[in-house]
Amino acid sequence: MIALADRFGRVATDLRVSLTDRCNLRCTYCMPAEGLAWMPQPDQLTDAEVVRLIRIAVERLGITEVRFTGGEPLIRRGLVGIVAEVARLDPRPRMSVTTNGIGLDRMAVPLRDAGLDRVNVSLDTLDPARFATLTRRDRHADVLRGLSAAVTAGLTPVKINTVLMRDVNDDEAPALLRFALEHGYQLRFIEQMPLDAQHQWDRHTMVTADEILAALKPFDLRPDVVSRGTAPAETWLVPGHVDAAGEPARVGVIGSVTRPFCGDCDRTRLTADGQVRNCLFATEESDLRKLLRDGAPDTEIAEAWRVAMAGKRAGHGIDDPAFLQPARPMSAIGG
């Protein structure tokens, strides 16, 4: 087996697979109201191509975790079948999905039965009207139903991903944590990153990790005794609370901008059109789709993937004056 190692000693074991660049929301910090020019269908990997690349990653490159992302992965018609095929691999990777939660009430059980282990659900507000403003869609109740269905189906721990934006929803941090604690969800606050399609991100208006933690002071958070390892979130214990599994309740903060964790990154990314990205903020990609469609053997594809990861930079470089935001927005990269 070949390890996906880079020249700084990091080894990628976590694969993020984007299944589509399409989404059924239009979040203001992600894309314009009219949406984007979506990827042409012929450019998108087929279900069989997705499964083959994941198989190569697991069997030949040491991948142990697979996260399906988008766009919105639940709108990929073949999602349940892809999960079922990956569940048959030996060794079997742990699988999760990052979703906006719309449709999860219908899909939670089929996904669990196919072999999915857990879900992350994006939710930035508890206010339905504010949700409609943020996402340009009136689907707040659908997301809440999806969260509940995930717990009922056993796709736990159910994690909520929240992006706080100054003067938009930054007043909701305490309420969101109370909501998560009441329902046994694990909440993760994420600093807003320069990955919007409009290229309007402004560091000075971003809500920082320090500001998030200051807003949570009433909860008397305690440092987590469990090491974060390669996980992106710094976590704190919430005294007096447990999660749905009976474990001590935790809240996390992913400070991608102000508290970068690039030195411990263990992720490799595959876009919906078969490009390998060795960093979320990479400006270059490596084309595996062409190799697939030209009939390359697994060994050649695995070697191309290894070479792509070997060139990974030491960090994302957001603080570098020469930093360039990726041409692809988040919806076309996958979270």
Side-chain angles (χ1 to χ4, degrees):
M1 184 177 291
I2 304 171
L4 286 176
D6 63 39
R7 63 188 185 276
F8 300 101
R10 297 167 298 192
V11 177
T13 58
D14 184 337
L15 170 61
R16 306 295 172 95
V17 180
S18 176
L19 294 176
T20 179
D21 63 335
R22 297 171 184 262
C23 189
N24 42 18
L25 297 180
R26 297 291 182 271
C27 296
T28 56
Y29 58 85
C30 187
M31 66 178 72
E34 65 273 17
L36 300 169
W38 306 122
M39 183 183 299
Q41 191 66 31
D43 292 352
Q44 184 174 284
L45 294 177
T46 66
D47 293 356
E49 288 172 334
V50 170
V51 171
R52 183 182 173 197
L53 288 177
I54 295 174
R55 178 179 57 76
I56 291 170
V58 170
E59 294 180 353
R60 295 178 178 271
L61 299 171
I63 291 296
T64 59
E65 301 264 349
V66 176
R67 173 89 58 87
F68 296 106
T69 69
E72 174 45 52
L74 295 192
I75 67 176
R76 173 88 181 218
R77 292 183 179 179
L79 174 59
V80 172
I82 290 171
V83 170
E85 288 296 318
V86 175
R88 296 187 184 100
L89 296 179
D90 186 14
R92 179 197 184 282
R94 284 187 55 80
M95 287 182 288
S96 58
V97 164
T98 294
T99 171
N100 61 30
I102 296 173
L104 188 57
D105 56 337
R106 295 180 287 102
M107 295 189 67
V109 170
L111 285 169
R112 178 205 64 197
D113 292 346
L116 192 73
D117 294 298
R118 65 170 194 84
V119 296
N120 283 29
V121 178
S122 299
L123 179 65
D124 297 325
T125 178
L126 298 176
D127 182 340
R130 184 176 280 180
F131 181 93
T133 299
L134 274 170
T135 67
R136 304 184 177 105
R137 298 291 187 271
D138 186 13
R139 306 298 297 272
H140 191 262
D142 296 307
V143 179
L144 298 186
R145 282 195 294 270
L147 282 164
S148 179
V151 171
T152 301
L155 295 174
T156 55
V158 173
K159 296 183 180 180
I160 294 177
N161 293 340
T162 296
V163 176
L164 295 181
M165 291 152 283
R166 195 174 308 283
D167 300 326
V168 176
N169 65 338
D170 55 336
D171 59 328
E172 289 196 64
L176 282 160
L177 181 51
R178 282 192 295 270
F179 171 78
L181 293 171
E182 288 167 3
H183 292 84
Y185 307 138
Q186 292 187 10
L187 179 60
R188 299 288 186 268
F189 291 103
I190 304 174
E191 288 183 339
Q192 186 181 2
M193 296 176 282
L195 291 167
D196 58 307
Q198 304 94 311
H199 286 219
Q200 294 175 348
W201 179 85
D202 183 350
R203 180 177 183 134
H204 300 292
T205 62
M206 178 191 71
V207 179
T208 67
D210 285 348
E211 291 175 290
I212 294 166
L213 290 171
L216 300 178
K217 275 188 176 179
F219 293 90
D220 193 27
L221 303 181
R222 304 299 172 85
D224 194 346
V225 295
V226 177
S227 170
R228 68 190 284 190
T230 58
E234 292 181 78
T235 55
W236 284 263
L237 300 176
V238 187
H241 296 274
V242 296
D243 62 21
E247 297 293 322
R250 291 175 169 83
V251 60
V253 177
I254 300 177
S256 304
V257 178
T258 64
R259 300 183 178 193
F261 43 88
C262 302
D264 295 316
C265 181
D266 67 344
R267 282 164 288 290
T268 181
R269 299 174 185 276
L270 181 68
T271 65
D273 56 350
Q275 310 301 306
V276 166
R277 298 177 63 87
N278 58 28
C279 174
L280 184 61
F281 298 95
T283 54
E284 296 179 349
E285 301 174 336
S286 300
D287 190 353
L288 298 188
R289 183 189 62 198
K290 186 176 188 304
L291 290 174
L292 278 173
R293 295 182 179 178
D294 286 349
D298 289 359
T299 51
E300 184 178 345
I301 294 170
E303 177 60 14
W305 204 328
R306 184 197 66 78
V307 171
M309 292 305 298
K312 185 172 182 173
R313 296 176 302 168
H316 53 47
I318 291 176
D319 286 330
D320 190 325
F323 173 77
L324 292 176
Q325 183 172 333
R328 287 187 192 247
M330 187 64 150
S331 62
I333 295 173

